Amino acid sequence: WRPIQMFAALTNNHKANTGGFECVKGFHHTFDEYFSRKTKEMQLQQQRYNQSMKDTVCVGDFCRLLPNEDKEILHQYKHVEYSAGDLVLFDWRTPHANARRNDS
């Protein structure tokens, strides 16, 4: 089983770029493969340049996305529409955030 995260919506949010919830839908299906590959690439790069492992890709269950290294993932964020009273549940491995833009 995998942990889930959730939130209860207190207001409606039906339009993108209005400060609501965004995520990369379906990323939990490729999470393990993506971060396994990324960790191996980072280790090879550090060996190639004879660097120590200063920075890790994942710390415990948390794996961060970096602006330059993970552009292809960051560009996949999509708005999730919800209404007041909705309970939004998602797999903890799904990249998620509040909207980066708020045009309202």
Side-chain angles (χ1 to χ4, degrees), residues 3-38:
I4 58 169
Q5 287 183 263
M6 65 181 176
F7 69 90
L10 301 178
T11 59
N12 294 332
N13 193 285
H14 300 288
K15 296 180 184 175
N17 301 320
T18 57
F21 182 72
E22 295 181 338
C23 72
V24 180
K25 297 177 182 181
F27 185 78
H28 62 287
H29 295 295
T30 58
F31 176 91
D32 291 331
E33 175 189 331
Y34 182 82
F35 282 106
S36 175
R37 185 183 80 242
K38 187 174 173 182

Side-chain angles (χ1 to χ4, degrees), residues 81-97:
E81 188 175 319
Y82 53 84
S83 299
D86 285 353
L87 186 62
V88 179
L89 303 146
F90 54 98
D91 187 294
W92 68 277
R93 297 167 294 174
T94 303
H96 59 281

